[in-house]
Amino acid sequence: MDEPVLLTGAGGRVGQAILRGIGDDYEWRLLDREPLPAAKVPTGVTDADRYVADITDASAVREAMAGVGSVIHLAGDPRKTAPWDSVIRNNIDGTQVVMRAAADAGVERFAFASSNHAVGGYETEERTPDLYRTDDDYRLDGTELPRPGNLYGVSKATGEALGRFYHDEFGMSVVCVRIGNLTKDHPPREYERGQAMWLSHRDCAHLFDRCLQADYGYEIVYGISNNDRRYYSIERAREALGYDPADNSADYTFEGEPKTEGSGAGGGDGPADDGEAGLDDGPADPNFPTDPDTPTDGA
Ligand SMILES: NC(=O)C1=CN([C@@H]2O[C@H](COP(=O)(O)OP(=O)(O)OC[C@H]3O[C@@H](n4cnc5c(N)ncnc54)[C@H](O)[C@@H]3O)[C@@H](O)[C@H]2O)C=CC1
Ligand SMILES: O=C1O[C@H](COP(=O)(O)O)[C@@H](O)[C@H](O)[C@H]1O
């Protein structure tokens, strides 16, 4: 696959985890409404391949989309407390603009950053906190109906429905990745839910790499590491995409320290953050105030 890959939201946490892991493997078009500092851009990406644009700007998105073979669409408001006006604009309208431009440009593969919050409503009082524990065998596998627990989750479920539409009507291959909780170097600290849905940086890069390589029609998969604690199945991601995660939150203490000194996470494969030097995390989007109850440590 030699055509460029458009990455929206390239300057954010997920975008940087992807670029740190597979930044040298593709010809990128990077789009973000915030200008990307050099430290966030892989070597080899020219100024001409960097787009400072809002995803609701259809003509700017079409310009960035010209000649693109695949899209990873991350840009949006990531806050679970995001108000309706923001999710309507950034997550729903923005996703419609990006998917429409992709379908019109004949894009082959489209990976959409959905979220655990599209199904947060399954975490009922009766099921929690047992759900987050190793000995509980309840699993969501992507075939269940969306059950958002907030308006942000509604916007992600809507993005999944838009993907279904663009697959059925335009033949575009679409994978919706219900991302869990991405943190760098270690799972979320002292947070059972977060440890059950941890996605390490290297597993994140590997998963989106598979989204760019595999053959699929329309898929909904869960984007978490190979955690012992889990209530999301990763079987569909394995089968449909060839996802083979390396990390497991069980390799860390509840406080986030590696259990085996010197081995890092993943059973001796080196530290979980084994990405390229030169790219930094940077702040999350300055336009969106941080969720008051979201741990930002290590993200
Ligand atoms: N970080 C996580 O653990 C999870 C993230 N996600 C989803 O993954 C995607 C990326 O999330 P993060 O990287 O954590 O967020 P982030 O806030 O760190 O990055 C988002 C990036 O998108 C850009 N952006 C936002 N709205 C835009 C717009 N209208 N036009 C152009 N650029 C825009 C921002 O400038 C920022 O660089 C989001 O869609 C989020 O909902 C889903 C589940 C978990
Ligand atoms: O969709 C998202 O989910 C993660 C995990 O949710 P949380 O409620 O356990 O914090 C969140 O950290 C991230 O900001 C959000 O985009």
Side-chain angles (χ1 to χ4, degrees):
M1 194 203 62
D2 297 331
E3 290 169 315
V5 178
L6 176 65
L7 178 66
T8 74
R13 293 165 293 186
V14 179
Q16 289 296 293
I18 292 170
L19 290 176
R20 218 180 266 115
I22 58 171
D24 289 340
D25 300 347
Y26 294 93
E27 190 184 324
W28 297 99
R29 301 258 178 94
L30 305 181
L31 185 147
D32 202 296
R33 68 180 172 192
E34 299 296 326
L36 301 186
K40 289 192 164 193
V41 179
T43 320
V45 178
T46 65
D47 286 351
D49 290 324
R50 292 155 67 165
Y51 294 82
V52 181
D54 196 292
I55 52 168
T56 58
D57 179 345
S59 67
V61 170
R62 279 176 195 283
E63 192 186 320
M65 196 69 75
V68 158
S70 305
V71 175
I72 299 176
H73 173 45
L74 309 174
D77 188 336
R79 295 170 300 162
K80 63 191 170 195
T81 55
W84 187 236
D85 60 345
S86 180
V87 298
I88 280 272
R89 176 183 161 74
N90 295 295
N91 298 10
I92 298 178
D93 187 35
T95 297
Q96 150 64 11
V97 167
V98 176
M99 283 191 188
R100 176 78 208 201
D104 287 346
V107 160
E108 253 177 77
R109 292 180 181 81
F110 192 106
F112 167 62
S114 185
S115 167
N116 61 88
H117 286 285
V119 288
Y122 288 99
E123 295 167 50
T124 57
E125 275 186 20
E126 296 73 43
R127 290 189 181 123
T128 55
D130 293 354
L131 193 64
Y132 310 135
R133 296 181 177 162
T134 311
D135 52 5
D136 192 282
D137 57 9
Y138 183 85
R139 293 284 182 276
L140 300 177
D141 65 6
T143 60
E144 61 282 331
L145 287 172
R147 194 167 165 186
N150 46 47
L151 295 174
Y152 164 71
V154 170
S155 76
K156 291 298 177 180
T158 306
E160 293 178 358
L162 283 167
R164 180 82 239 186
F165 168 70
Y166 281 106
H167 171 66
D168 289 344
E169 294 299 318
F170 293 80
M172 186 163 71
S173 296
V174 176
V175 57
C176 305
V177 182
R178 288 180 178 163
I179 302 171
N181 192 327
L182 180 89
T183 57
K184 188 163 177 274
D185 294 340
H186 55 77
R189 292 186 159 123
E190 301 183 17
Y191 180 34
E192 286 192 276
R193 179 175 196 266
Q195 292 175 3
M197 61 169 70
W198 182 43
L199 179 64
S200 73
H201 273 216
R202 69 174 159 185
D203 287 341
C204 177
H206 163 64
L207 175 54
F208 280 97
D209 188 32
R210 295 312 310 157
C211 293
L212 296 175
Q213 296 291 335
D215 290 324
Y216 48 86
Y218 177 79
E219 294 288 342
I220 295 175
V221 300
Y222 284 97
I224 63 169
S225 288
N226 190 25
N227 306 319
D228 287 357
R229 288 178 188 268
R230 77 171 78 141
Y231 54 100
Y232 301 145
S233 167
I234 52 174
E235 284 316 301
R236 194 63 202 149
R238 287 187 190 278
E239 284 165 17
L241 305 176
Y243 177 53
D244 186 18
D247 293 313
N248 181 343
S249 57
D251 292 334
Y252 295 80
T253 65
F254 193 56
E255 292 73 30
E257 298 303 321
K259 280 182 181 166
T260 312
E261 208 176 329
S263 71
D269 266 341
D273 175 36
D274 56 355
E276 297 164 15
L279 300 176
D280 67 25
D281 259 353
D285 190 340
N287 295 293
F288 301 135
T290 310
D291 263 331
D293 50 351
T294 296
T296 52
D297 156 58

